[in-house]
Amino acid sequence: MLIVFFLALAIYLKFLFPTFALGDGGLFSTAAVNLGIVHPPGYPLYSLLGKIANVILPLSSPAWRLNFLTALLMATAVLFTILSLRKIGVNKTISLITGLWLATTPAIIGNSLAAEVYSLNLFFLSLVFLLALNQYWLLAALVFGLSLGNHYIMFLYLPAFSLYWYLSSEKKWQRLLIYLGIFLLGWQVYLYLPLRAIQTPALNWGKPSTWFYFSQHLKRAHFQNLEFSSQIETVEKLRFSGYFFLQGFLKQLPYGVGILAFAGLILGILKEKKSEFFLLLYVYLVTGLGLIWGLDFPFTLVNRYRFTPYLLPCWWALCIGLGFALFILWPLVKRRGDRLVVYVMSGFLIVAPLLLAFTNDAFSRNSYLAYDLGKNLLNSLPAKSYLFTSGGNQAFSLYYLTEVEKQRPDLRIYDRGGVVLTGLLEAPLFKISAKEWQKRRQAKETEVIMSSEYPVYYAKTPRDSDATPWRYFPMGAVY
Protein backbone atom coordinates (compact mmCIF):
# COMPACT_ATOMS: atom_id res chain seq x y z
CA MET A 1 0.00 0.00 0.00
CA LEU A 2 2.76 2.41 0.94
CA ILE A 3 4.53 2.19 -2.42
CA VAL A 4 1.94 4.42 -4.12
CA PHE A 5 1.92 6.77 -1.11
CA PHE A 6 5.67 7.30 -1.32
CA LEU A 7 5.60 7.50 -5.12
CA ALA A 8 2.90 10.19 -4.98
CA LEU A 9 4.80 12.10 -2.30
CA ALA A 10 8.01 11.87 -4.34
CA ILE A 11 6.26 13.27 -7.42
CA TYR A 12 4.79 16.16 -5.44
CA LEU A 13 8.10 16.95 -3.74
CA LYS A 14 9.97 16.88 -7.02
CA PHE A 15 7.82 19.68 -8.36
CA LEU A 16 7.04 21.50 -5.11
CA PHE A 17 7.13 25.29 -5.04
CA PRO A 18 10.38 26.44 -3.42
CA THR A 19 8.53 29.23 -1.59
CA PHE A 20 4.99 30.57 -1.41
CA ALA A 21 2.97 30.69 -4.62
CA LEU A 22 0.76 33.33 -6.15
CA GLY A 23 -2.81 33.42 -4.90
CA ASP A 24 -3.26 32.65 -1.21
CA GLY A 25 0.18 31.11 -0.71
CA GLY A 26 1.72 34.09 1.08
CA LEU A 27 -1.45 34.58 3.12
CA PHE A 28 -1.70 30.99 4.40
CA SER A 29 2.03 30.74 5.03
CA THR A 30 2.01 33.91 7.10
CA ALA A 31 -1.07 32.83 9.07
CA ALA A 32 0.45 29.44 9.86
CA VAL A 33 3.76 30.83 11.07
CA ASN A 34 2.29 33.65 13.17
CA LEU A 35 -1.10 32.07 13.99
CA GLY A 36 -2.95 34.74 12.08
CA ILE A 37 -6.46 34.83 10.65
CA VAL A 38 -7.00 34.52 6.90
CA HIS A 39 -9.92 35.40 4.66
CA PRO A 40 -13.41 34.08 5.45
CA PRO A 41 -14.35 31.66 6.78
CA GLY A 42 -10.94 31.72 8.46
CA TYR A 43 -9.69 28.13 7.92
CA PRO A 44 -8.59 27.79 11.57
CA LEU A 45 -7.64 24.13 11.33
CA TYR A 46 -5.27 24.72 8.44
CA SER A 47 -3.55 27.55 10.34
CA LEU A 48 -3.12 25.35 13.42
CA LEU A 49 -1.78 22.38 11.44
CA GLY A 50 0.52 24.72 9.53
CA LYS A 51 1.91 26.05 12.80
CA ILE A 52 2.61 22.51 13.98
CA ALA A 53 4.33 21.69 10.67
CA ASN A 54 6.53 24.76 11.00
CA VAL A 55 7.56 23.81 14.52
CA ILE A 56 8.34 20.12 13.95
CA LEU A 57 9.89 20.31 10.47
CA PRO A 58 13.40 21.79 10.64
CA LEU A 59 13.57 22.02 6.85
CA SER A 60 14.10 24.89 4.44
CA SER A 61 11.91 28.00 4.80
CA PRO A 62 8.54 28.34 6.60
CA ALA A 63 6.78 28.65 3.23
CA TRP A 64 8.38 25.44 1.96
CA ARG A 65 7.22 23.60 5.09
CA LEU A 66 3.63 24.60 4.38
CA ASN A 67 4.05 23.38 0.80
CA PHE A 68 5.40 20.09 2.12
CA LEU A 69 2.39 19.77 4.42
CA THR A 70 0.12 20.18 1.39
CA ALA A 71 1.96 17.42 -0.49
CA LEU A 72 1.92 15.11 2.53
CA LEU A 73 -1.83 15.55 3.06
CA MET A 74 -2.58 14.80 -0.58
CA ALA A 75 -0.40 11.69 -0.63
CA THR A 76 -2.15 10.52 2.54
CA ALA A 77 -5.54 11.07 0.89
CA VAL A 78 -4.35 8.76 -1.90
CA LEU A 79 -3.40 6.15 0.70
CA PHE A 80 -6.83 6.40 2.38
CA THR A 81 -8.45 5.91 -1.03
CA ILE A 82 -6.49 2.72 -1.67
CA LEU A 83 -7.54 1.40 1.74
CA SER A 84 -11.17 2.25 0.94
CA LEU A 85 -10.98 0.31 -2.31
CA ARG A 86 -9.64 -2.70 -0.43
CA LYS A 87 -12.50 -2.42 2.05
CA ILE A 88 -15.01 -2.31 -0.82
CA GLY A 89 -13.55 -5.59 -2.07
CA VAL A 90 -11.21 -4.49 -4.87
CA ASN A 91 -8.05 -6.58 -5.02
CA LYS A 92 -4.67 -5.15 -4.03
CA THR A 93 -3.19 -4.76 -7.51
CA ILE A 94 -6.13 -2.83 -8.95
CA SER A 95 -6.36 -0.73 -5.77
CA LEU A 96 -2.73 0.30 -6.18
CA ILE A 97 -3.20 1.08 -9.88
CA THR A 98 -6.27 3.17 -9.05
CA GLY A 99 -4.34 5.03 -6.36
CA LEU A 100 -1.68 5.81 -8.94
CA TRP A 101 -4.28 7.29 -11.31
CA LEU A 102 -5.67 9.44 -8.51
CA ALA A 103 -2.23 10.61 -7.41
CA THR A 104 -1.27 11.72 -10.92
CA THR A 105 -4.52 13.40 -11.93
CA PRO A 106 -3.51 16.89 -13.17
CA ALA A 107 -5.82 18.73 -10.77
CA ILE A 108 -4.59 16.63 -7.85
CA ILE A 109 -0.95 17.37 -8.66
CA GLY A 110 -1.69 21.05 -9.27
CA ASN A 111 -3.16 21.36 -5.78
CA SER A 112 -0.36 19.44 -4.05
CA LEU A 113 2.52 21.83 -4.68
CA ALA A 114 1.83 24.93 -2.59
CA ALA A 115 0.15 26.01 0.63
CA GLU A 116 -3.63 25.76 0.19
CA VAL A 117 -6.61 24.22 1.96
CA TYR A 118 -7.83 21.86 -0.76
CA SER A 119 -5.47 18.97 -0.08
CA LEU A 120 -6.57 18.99 3.57
CA ASN A 121 -10.18 18.94 2.39
CA LEU A 122 -9.59 15.83 0.25
CA PHE A 123 -7.65 14.30 3.14
CA PHE A 124 -10.73 14.66 5.34
CA LEU A 125 -13.19 13.47 2.71
CA SER A 126 -11.19 10.30 2.00
CA LEU A 127 -10.69 9.68 5.72
CA VAL A 128 -14.37 10.09 6.59
CA PHE A 129 -15.27 7.72 3.75
CA LEU A 130 -12.78 5.13 5.01
CA LEU A 131 -14.07 5.43 8.58
CA ALA A 132 -17.67 5.11 7.38
CA LEU A 133 -16.83 1.95 5.43
CA ASN A 134 -15.35 0.49 8.60
CA GLN A 135 -18.34 1.61 10.72
CA TYR A 136 -16.16 3.76 13.00
CA TRP A 137 -18.98 6.26 13.44
CA LEU A 138 -17.80 8.10 16.55
CA LEU A 139 -14.45 8.86 14.97
CA ALA A 140 -16.13 9.67 11.64
CA ALA A 141 -18.40 12.19 13.38
CA LEU A 142 -15.43 13.86 15.08
CA VAL A 143 -13.38 14.01 11.88
CA PHE A 144 -16.37 15.35 9.93
CA GLY A 145 -16.83 18.14 12.47
CA LEU A 146 -13.13 18.97 12.31
CA SER A 147 -13.23 19.00 8.51
CA LEU A 148 -15.70 21.89 8.59
CA GLY A 149 -12.97 23.87 10.33
CA ASN A 150 -11.09 23.66 7.06
CA HIS A 151 -13.65 24.06 4.26
CA TYR A 152 -17.41 24.55 4.08
CA ILE A 153 -17.71 22.32 1.02
CA MET A 154 -17.90 19.36 3.40
CA PHE A 155 -21.39 20.55 4.33
CA LEU A 156 -22.50 19.37 0.88
CA TYR A 157 -21.66 15.78 1.77
CA LEU A 158 -23.40 15.70 5.15
CA PRO A 159 -26.78 14.50 3.76
CA ALA A 160 -25.18 11.61 1.84
CA PHE A 161 -23.01 10.46 4.76
CA SER A 162 -26.00 10.76 7.11
CA LEU A 163 -28.09 8.57 4.79
CA TYR A 164 -25.24 6.07 4.50
CA TRP A 165 -25.05 5.94 8.31
CA TYR A 166 -28.80 5.33 8.56
CA LEU A 167 -28.72 2.54 5.98
CA SER A 168 -25.66 0.75 7.33
CA SER A 169 -25.59 1.34 11.08
CA GLU A 170 -27.25 -1.07 13.51
CA LYS A 171 -27.44 1.49 16.32
CA LYS A 172 -29.42 4.07 14.34
CA TRP A 173 -31.26 6.65 16.45
CA GLN A 174 -30.11 5.36 19.84
CA ARG A 175 -26.72 6.97 19.36
CA LEU A 176 -27.70 9.90 17.16
CA LEU A 177 -27.34 12.49 19.94
CA ILE A 178 -23.90 11.12 20.80
CA TYR A 179 -22.76 11.37 17.19
CA LEU A 180 -24.20 14.88 16.93
CA GLY A 181 -22.37 15.95 20.08
CA ILE A 182 -19.07 14.55 18.82
CA PHE A 183 -19.65 16.24 15.46
CA LEU A 184 -20.25 19.61 17.12
CA LEU A 185 -17.20 19.10 19.33
CA GLY A 186 -14.98 18.87 16.27
CA TRP A 187 -16.55 22.02 14.87
CA GLN A 188 -15.47 24.01 17.93
CA VAL A 189 -12.12 24.61 16.25
CA TYR A 190 -13.70 27.83 14.94
CA LEU A 191 -13.38 29.29 18.42
CA TYR A 192 -9.77 29.83 17.45
CA LEU A 193 -10.87 32.86 15.41
CA PRO A 194 -12.26 35.11 18.18
CA LEU A 195 -9.76 33.85 20.75
CA ARG A 196 -6.84 34.67 18.48
CA ALA A 197 -8.36 37.91 17.14
CA ILE A 198 -8.57 39.27 20.70
CA GLN A 199 -4.77 39.05 20.81
CA THR A 200 -4.60 41.31 17.69
CA PRO A 201 -2.15 39.32 15.53
CA ALA A 202 -0.55 41.22 12.65
CA LEU A 203 -2.56 39.17 10.15
CA ASN A 204 -6.10 39.63 11.46
CA TRP A 205 -8.52 39.50 8.53
CA GLY A 206 -11.91 40.88 9.48
CA LYS A 207 -10.88 41.22 13.15
CA PRO A 208 -13.47 38.63 14.33
CA SER A 209 -13.01 39.37 18.04
CA THR A 210 -16.66 40.34 18.58
CA TRP A 211 -19.76 38.26 17.92
CA PHE A 212 -20.79 40.51 15.02
CA TYR A 213 -17.48 40.32 13.17
CA PHE A 214 -17.12 36.63 14.02
CA SER A 215 -20.52 35.89 12.48
CA GLN A 216 -19.71 37.98 9.41
CA HIS A 217 -16.49 36.03 8.99
CA LEU A 218 -18.29 32.70 9.19
CA LYS A 219 -20.89 33.90 6.69
CA ARG A 220 -18.14 34.94 4.22
CA ALA A 221 -19.58 38.43 4.03
CA HIS A 222 -16.47 39.65 2.22
CA PHE A 223 -17.12 37.28 -0.69
CA GLN A 224 -20.75 37.67 -1.62
CA ASN A 225 -20.01 36.64 -5.21
CA LEU A 226 -19.15 33.16 -3.96
CA GLU A 227 -22.43 32.63 -2.15
CA PHE A 228 -25.29 30.56 -3.50
CA SER A 229 -27.22 32.58 -6.05
CA SER A 230 -28.93 32.33 -9.42
CA GLN A 231 -27.78 35.49 -11.15
CA ILE A 232 -25.89 33.73 -13.93
CA GLU A 233 -27.82 32.92 -17.09
CA THR A 234 -28.80 29.33 -17.81
CA VAL A 235 -26.69 29.25 -20.98
CA GLU A 236 -23.59 30.08 -18.94
CA LYS A 237 -24.41 27.32 -16.47
CA LEU A 238 -24.88 24.80 -19.29
CA ARG A 239 -21.53 25.73 -20.82
CA PHE A 240 -19.84 25.36 -17.45
CA SER A 241 -21.56 21.99 -16.92
CA GLY A 242 -20.28 20.73 -20.26
CA TYR A 243 -16.81 21.93 -19.35
CA PHE A 244 -17.05 20.00 -16.07
CA PHE A 245 -17.78 16.69 -17.77
CA LEU A 246 -15.14 17.25 -20.45
CA GLN A 247 -12.57 18.03 -17.73
CA GLY A 248 -13.12 14.64 -16.18
CA PHE A 249 -13.26 12.61 -19.36
CA LEU A 250 -10.57 14.36 -21.43
CA LYS A 251 -8.07 16.02 -19.09
CA GLN A 252 -8.21 14.58 -15.58
CA LEU A 253 -8.75 10.95 -16.60
CA PRO A 254 -8.06 10.89 -20.35
CA TYR A 255 -7.73 8.05 -22.88
CA GLY A 256 -11.27 6.89 -22.16
CA VAL A 257 -10.41 6.16 -18.53
CA GLY A 258 -12.80 8.86 -17.27
CA ILE A 259 -15.73 7.28 -19.08
CA LEU A 260 -14.80 3.89 -17.66
CA ALA A 261 -14.59 5.47 -14.19
CA PHE A 262 -18.07 6.97 -14.48
CA ALA A 263 -19.38 3.60 -15.65
CA GLY A 264 -17.76 2.12 -12.53
CA LEU A 265 -19.86 4.40 -10.30
CA ILE A 266 -23.01 3.18 -12.04
CA LEU A 267 -21.86 -0.46 -11.89
CA GLY A 268 -21.27 -0.08 -8.17
CA ILE A 269 -24.86 1.08 -7.65
CA LEU A 270 -26.19 -1.80 -9.75
CA LYS A 271 -24.05 -4.35 -7.90
CA GLU A 272 -24.01 -5.20 -4.22
CA LYS A 273 -22.34 -1.91 -3.15
CA LYS A 274 -25.37 0.31 -3.72
CA SER A 275 -25.03 2.59 -0.67
CA GLU A 276 -21.29 3.20 -1.06
CA PHE A 277 -21.49 4.08 -4.73
CA PHE A 278 -24.62 6.15 -4.37
CA LEU A 279 -22.60 8.25 -1.90
CA LEU A 280 -19.72 8.53 -4.39
CA LEU A 281 -22.02 9.45 -7.27
CA TYR A 282 -23.59 12.06 -4.99
CA VAL A 283 -20.15 13.55 -4.26
CA TYR A 284 -19.32 13.63 -7.96
CA LEU A 285 -22.53 15.28 -9.13
CA VAL A 286 -23.23 17.60 -6.20
CA THR A 287 -19.66 18.90 -6.06
CA GLY A 288 -19.54 19.55 -9.79
CA LEU A 289 -23.01 20.40 -11.05
CA GLY A 290 -24.26 21.53 -7.64
CA LEU A 291 -21.62 24.23 -7.28
CA ILE A 292 -21.82 25.25 -10.94
CA TRP A 293 -25.55 25.81 -10.75
CA GLY A 294 -25.53 27.19 -7.24
CA LEU A 295 -22.68 29.72 -7.25
CA ASP A 296 -22.20 32.96 -9.15
CA PHE A 297 -19.43 31.69 -11.42
CA PRO A 298 -19.68 33.05 -14.99
CA PHE A 299 -18.05 30.77 -17.55
CA THR A 300 -14.77 32.66 -18.00
CA LEU A 301 -11.13 31.56 -18.24
CA VAL A 302 -10.36 33.01 -14.80
CA ASN A 303 -13.32 31.26 -13.18
CA ARG A 304 -12.46 27.95 -14.82
CA TYR A 305 -9.09 28.20 -13.12
CA ARG A 306 -10.62 29.31 -9.79
CA PHE A 307 -13.17 26.50 -9.87
CA THR A 308 -10.63 23.71 -10.40
CA PRO A 309 -9.75 23.13 -6.72
CA TYR A 310 -13.43 22.77 -5.81
CA LEU A 311 -13.66 19.79 -8.16
CA LEU A 312 -11.02 17.62 -6.51
CA PRO A 313 -13.68 15.50 -4.74
CA CYS A 314 -15.20 14.79 -8.17
CA TRP A 315 -12.00 13.25 -9.50
CA TRP A 316 -11.56 11.36 -6.21
CA ALA A 317 -15.01 9.81 -6.57
CA LEU A 318 -14.38 9.02 -10.24
CA CYS A 319 -11.14 7.24 -9.41
CA ILE A 320 -12.90 4.96 -6.93
CA GLY A 321 -15.37 4.23 -9.72
CA LEU A 322 -12.41 3.42 -11.95
CA GLY A 323 -11.08 0.94 -9.41
CA PHE A 324 -14.41 -0.86 -9.18
CA ALA A 325 -14.83 -0.94 -12.97
CA LEU A 326 -11.40 -2.49 -13.41
CA PHE A 327 -12.16 -4.98 -10.66
CA ILE A 328 -15.32 -6.10 -12.47
CA LEU A 329 -13.93 -6.06 -16.01
CA TRP A 330 -10.40 -7.36 -15.53
CA PRO A 331 -11.34 -11.02 -15.01
CA LEU A 332 -13.34 -10.86 -18.26
CA VAL A 333 -10.34 -9.45 -20.12
CA LYS A 334 -8.06 -12.17 -18.75
CA ARG A 335 -10.50 -14.91 -19.72
CA ARG A 336 -11.31 -13.67 -23.21
CA GLY A 337 -8.12 -11.88 -24.26
CA ASP A 338 -4.79 -13.41 -25.20
CA ARG A 339 -1.71 -12.89 -23.09
CA LEU A 340 -0.37 -10.03 -25.26
CA VAL A 341 -3.59 -8.04 -24.81
CA VAL A 342 -3.41 -8.49 -21.05
CA TYR A 343 0.22 -7.34 -20.97
CA VAL A 344 -0.49 -4.28 -23.13
CA MET A 345 -3.47 -3.22 -21.02
CA SER A 346 -1.54 -3.78 -17.82
CA GLY A 347 1.34 -1.69 -19.11
CA PHE A 348 -1.04 1.07 -20.18
CA LEU A 349 -2.73 1.24 -16.79
CA ILE A 350 0.64 1.63 -15.06
CA VAL A 351 2.57 3.79 -17.54
CA ALA A 352 -0.23 6.17 -18.62
CA PRO A 353 -0.70 7.84 -15.22
CA LEU A 354 3.06 8.33 -14.90
CA LEU A 355 3.14 9.97 -18.33
CA LEU A 356 0.19 12.09 -17.25
CA ALA A 357 2.16 13.21 -14.21
CA PHE A 358 5.33 14.15 -15.99
CA THR A 359 3.59 16.00 -18.82
CA ASN A 360 1.53 18.09 -16.37
CA ASP A 361 1.70 21.86 -16.88
CA ALA A 362 1.33 22.69 -13.17
CA PHE A 363 4.94 22.12 -12.15
CA SER A 364 6.62 25.09 -10.48
CA ARG A 365 9.79 23.71 -8.96
CA ASN A 366 11.81 26.85 -9.69
CA SER A 367 9.05 29.44 -9.47
CA TYR A 368 9.92 32.42 -7.30
CA LEU A 369 7.40 34.67 -9.01
CA ALA A 370 5.35 35.49 -5.90
CA TYR A 371 8.45 35.97 -3.76
CA ASP A 372 10.11 38.22 -6.34
CA LEU A 373 6.91 40.26 -6.69
CA GLY A 374 6.97 41.20 -3.02
CA LYS A 375 10.74 41.65 -3.04
CA ASN A 376 10.57 44.10 -5.94
CA LEU A 377 7.90 46.11 -4.13
CA LEU A 378 10.08 46.37 -1.04
CA ASN A 379 13.20 47.23 -3.04
CA SER A 380 11.33 50.09 -4.72
CA LEU A 381 10.62 51.84 -1.44
CA PRO A 382 13.01 54.29 0.25
CA ALA A 383 13.60 54.15 3.99
CA LYS A 384 10.70 54.83 6.37
CA SER A 385 8.10 54.95 3.63
CA TYR A 386 4.37 54.52 3.94
CA LEU A 387 2.80 51.96 1.62
CA PHE A 388 -0.89 51.45 0.92
CA THR A 389 -1.81 48.02 -0.40
CA SER A 390 -5.22 46.79 -1.53
CA GLY A 391 -4.91 43.01 -1.20
CA GLY A 392 -4.28 40.17 -3.64
CA ASN A 393 -0.94 38.83 -4.82
CA GLN A 394 1.00 41.99 -3.97
CA ALA A 395 -0.37 42.25 -0.47
CA PHE A 396 -0.01 38.54 0.34
CA SER A 397 3.62 38.58 -0.80
CA LEU A 398 4.29 41.61 1.38
CA TYR A 399 2.63 39.96 4.38
CA TYR A 400 5.03 37.03 4.23
CA LEU A 401 8.19 39.04 3.63
CA THR A 402 7.50 41.60 6.36
CA GLU A 403 5.76 39.44 8.98
CA VAL A 404 7.60 36.12 8.59
CA GLU A 405 11.02 37.07 7.24
CA LYS A 406 10.92 40.44 9.02
CA GLN A 407 12.21 42.32 5.99
CA ARG A 408 12.01 46.12 5.92
CA PRO A 409 10.81 46.82 9.48
CA ASP A 410 11.26 50.53 8.73
CA LEU A 411 8.17 50.58 6.50
CA ARG A 412 4.60 51.27 7.56
CA ILE A 413 2.26 49.17 5.44
CA TYR A 414 -1.46 49.90 5.55
CA ASP A 415 -4.29 47.77 4.25
CA ARG A 416 -6.66 50.03 2.32
CA GLY A 417 -9.54 47.67 2.96
CA GLY A 418 -8.98 47.78 6.69
CA VAL A 419 -9.76 44.09 7.13
CA VAL A 420 -6.35 42.38 7.08
CA LEU A 421 -3.25 44.19 8.28
CA THR A 422 -3.13 47.47 10.15
CA GLY A 423 -5.87 49.72 8.84
CA LEU A 424 -6.37 53.43 9.16
CA LEU A 425 -10.06 52.89 9.83
CA GLU A 426 -11.76 50.96 12.57
CA ALA A 427 -15.27 51.69 11.32
CA PRO A 428 -17.87 48.89 11.30
CA LEU A 429 -17.29 47.85 7.70
CA PHE A 430 -20.50 45.85 7.35
CA LYS A 431 -22.68 48.55 8.89
CA ILE A 432 -21.95 51.31 6.38
CA SER A 433 -22.28 51.50 2.61
CA ALA A 434 -19.37 50.93 0.26
CA LYS A 435 -19.64 54.55 -0.85
CA GLU A 436 -19.37 55.81 2.73
CA TRP A 437 -16.45 53.48 3.41
CA GLN A 438 -14.60 54.80 0.33
CA LYS A 439 -15.25 58.36 1.41
CA ARG A 440 -13.83 57.78 4.89
CA ARG A 441 -10.83 55.92 3.49
CA GLN A 442 -9.96 58.69 1.05
CA ALA A 443 -10.22 61.28 3.81
CA LYS A 444 -7.92 59.32 6.08
CA GLU A 445 -5.36 58.59 3.36
CA THR A 446 -5.37 62.28 2.41
CA GLU A 447 -4.65 63.11 6.04
CA VAL A 448 -1.66 60.75 6.06
CA ILE A 449 -0.31 62.11 2.77
CA MET A 450 -0.60 65.73 3.90
CA SER A 451 0.84 65.22 7.38
CA SER A 452 3.56 62.62 6.83
CA GLU A 453 7.19 63.71 6.77
CA TYR A 454 8.01 60.51 4.88
CA PRO A 455 7.07 59.56 1.30
CA VAL A 456 3.78 57.73 0.67
CA TYR A 457 3.37 55.03 -1.99
CA TYR A 458 0.71 52.71 -3.35
CA ALA A 459 1.34 49.09 -4.34
CA LYS A 460 -0.86 49.72 -7.38
CA THR A 461 -2.91 52.57 -8.77
CA PRO A 462 -6.13 52.69 -6.70
CA ARG A 463 -9.34 51.92 -8.54
CA ASP A 464 -10.84 55.04 -7.01
CA SER A 465 -7.92 57.22 -8.15
CA ASP A 466 -10.21 59.40 -10.26
CA ALA A 467 -12.00 60.49 -7.09
CA THR A 468 -8.81 61.75 -5.43
CA PRO A 469 -6.85 64.96 -6.08
CA TRP A 470 -3.57 63.08 -6.41
CA ARG A 471 -1.64 62.04 -9.49
CA TYR A 472 0.15 58.70 -9.45
CA PHE A 473 3.55 58.08 -11.02
CA PRO A 474 5.33 54.72 -11.34
CA MET A 475 8.57 54.40 -9.36
CA GLY A 476 10.04 50.94 -9.69
CA ALA A 477 7.26 48.52 -8.78
CA VAL A 478 5.17 51.04 -6.82
CA TYR A 479 3.34 54.33 -7.41
Side-chain angles (χ1 to χ4, degrees):
M1 300 293 178
L2 293 178
I3 186 171
V4 175
F5 166 81
F6 285 113
L7 180 59
L9 185 60
I11 292 172
Y12 303 152
L13 292 181
K14 178 175 176 58
F15 302 107
L16 205 67
F17 274 84
T19 183
F20 59 91
L22 291 174
D24 291 337
L27 182 70
F28 282 119
S29 297
T30 304
V33 174
N34 296 338
L35 285 180
I37 297 172
V38 300
H39 61 66
Y43 306 101
L45 189 59
Y46 187 86
S47 296
L48 292 169
L49 290 176
K51 179 65 174 180
I52 294 172
N54 264 282
V55 171
I56 66 176
L57 290 176
L59 302 170
S60 192
S61 67
W64 188 91
R65 295 169 203 165
L66 264 292
N67 299 345
F68 175 83
L69 175 64
T70 299
L72 180 63
L73 289 169
M74 194 68 86
T76 307
V78 172
L79 177 61
F80 289 157
T81 305
I82 295 172
L83 294 174
S84 295
L85 284 163
R86 296 290 290 133
K87 183 63 180 180
I88 289 172
V90 177
N91 64 46
K92 185 176 181 179
T93 300
I94 292 179
S95 296
L96 292 174
I97 290 174
T98 304
L100 185 61
W101 275 93
L102 175 63
T104 57
T105 300
I108 295 293
I109 293 180
N111 285 276
S112 303
L113 309 180
E116 256 295 359
V117 298
Y118 302 106
S119 64
L120 180 56
N121 184 62
L122 196 65
F123 168 91
F124 276 126
L125 178 58
S126 58
L127 177 56
V128 171
F129 185 66
L130 178 61
L131 293 172
L133 290 177
N134 287 280
Q135 304 288 295
Y136 297 149
W137 292 112
L138 280 175
L139 189 54
L142 177 63
V143 172
F144 207 114
L146 278 172
S147 72
L148 296 175
N150 179 62
H151 206 289
Y152 280 1
I153 198 172
M154 288 294 290
F155 268 122
L156 294 177
Y157 313 136
L158 188 57
F161 276 103
S162 299
L163 180 61
Y164 181 74
W165 163 77
Y166 176 76
L167 294 175
S168 58
S169 173
E170 296 180 358
K171 302 294 184 182
K172 293 197 173 24
W173 305 110
Q174 293 90 326
R175 305 196 70 182
L176 178 60
L177 290 179
I178 297 176
Y179 295 143
L180 182 60
I182 295 294
F183 169 80
L184 294 176
L185 178 64
W187 203 10
Q188 299 309 302
V189 69
Y190 272 103
L191 292 176
Y192 162 86
L193 299 180
L195 293 175
R196 182 57 177 151
I198 290 172
Q199 302 174 49
T200 61
L203 183 56
N204 194 11
W205 194 307
K207 305 176 181 66
S209 56
T210 66
W211 169 251
F212 175 77
Y213 283 105
F214 178 49
S215 64
Q216 294 298 312
H217 213 71
L218 294 183
K219 292 190 296 186
R220 299 172 57 91
H222 293 281
F223 301 125
Q224 291 296 331
N225 65 311
L226 294 181
E227 302 307 319
F228 285 96
S229 178
S230 57
Q231 299 178 15
I232 307 301
E233 294 183 359
T234 302
V235 174
E236 288 284 288
K237 300 290 189 182
L238 289 173
R239 292 176 63 199
F240 221 144
S241 300
Y243 170 79
F244 160 65
F245 285 111
L246 290 176
Q247 270 280 301
F249 299 153
L250 298 181
K251 183 175 181 180
Q252 304 303 329
L253 294 171
Y255 319 123
V257 173
I259 297 174
L260 179 62
F262 185 79
L265 294 179
I266 305 302
L267 279 173
I269 293 175
L270 297 177
K271 295 287 185 177
E272 66 276 6
K273 301 293 183 180
K274 291 181 174 59
S275 299
E276 290 82 354
F277 282 90
F278 172 81
L279 192 156
L280 292 167
L281 185 63
Y282 175 96
V283 169
Y284 175 71
L285 294 177
V286 170
T287 305
L289 297 182
L291 292 180
I292 288 171
W293 286 85
L295 296 179
D296 277 338
F297 270 116
F299 185 67
T300 63
L301 180 62
V302 172
N303 281 337
R304 292 203 299 270
Y305 171 78
R306 291 174 63 197
F307 202 68
T308 299
Y310 292 97
L311 299 180
L312 297 185
C314 299
W315 318 138
W316 168 81
L318 269 186
C319 281
I320 296 180
L322 172 64
F324 192 75
L326 291 175
F327 176 66
I328 296 297
L329 297 177
W330 196 248
L332 300 177
V333 173
K334 293 181 69 174
R335 281 200 301 265
R336 299 185 181 183
D338 59 31
R339 187 170 297 179
L340 179 61
V341 173
V342 173
Y343 287 156
V344 169
M345 292 188 65
S346 301
F348 166 78
L349 290 171
I350 296 172
V351 174
L354 295 175
L355 291 176
L356 194 64
F358 287 93
T359 57
N360 196 296
D361 59 0
F363 301 149
S364 303
R365 180 178 176 83
N366 297 312
S367 176
Y368 287 87
L369 181 60
Y371 190 93
D372 290 343
L373 173 62
K375 194 71 174 176
N376 289 335
L377 287 169
L378 295 180
N379 290 341
S380 299
L381 296 168
K384 299 181 179 181
S385 300
Y386 287 73
L387 177 66
F388 289 113
T389 179
S390 300
N393 289 317
Q394 293 176 325
F396 298 164
S397 299
L398 289 170
Y399 299 166
Y400 182 86
L401 295 177
T402 58
E403 297 298 326
V404 177
E405 296 192 353
K406 304 300 181 183
Q407 297 189 31
R408 296 301 305 271
D410 59 300
L411 301 178
R412 299 190 67 175
I413 300 177
Y414 289 111
D415 167 29
R416 298 190 76 224
V419 295
V420 189
L421 291 177
T422 302
L424 293 174
L425 299 177
E426 294 298 333
L429 174 62
F430 302 104
K431 295 183 179 179
I432 61 176
S433 66
K435 185 176 181 180
E436 177 63 23
W437 175 263
Q438 179 176 305
K439 180 180 177 180
R440 295 187 191 184
R441 179 176 64 191
Q442 289 175 351
K444 199 67 178 178
E445 289 178 9
T446 298
E447 179 184 331
V448 171
I449 292 172
M450 296 296 294
S451 61
S452 174
E453 59 181 302
Y454 300 111
V456 179
Y457 297 89
Y458 285 80
K460 61 181 179 181
T461 305
R463 294 180 180 178
D464 56 354
S465 59
D466 292 339
T468 66
W470 316 111
R471 297 179 64 187
Y472 301 88
F473 301 93
M475 193 185 95
V478 296
Y479 294 87

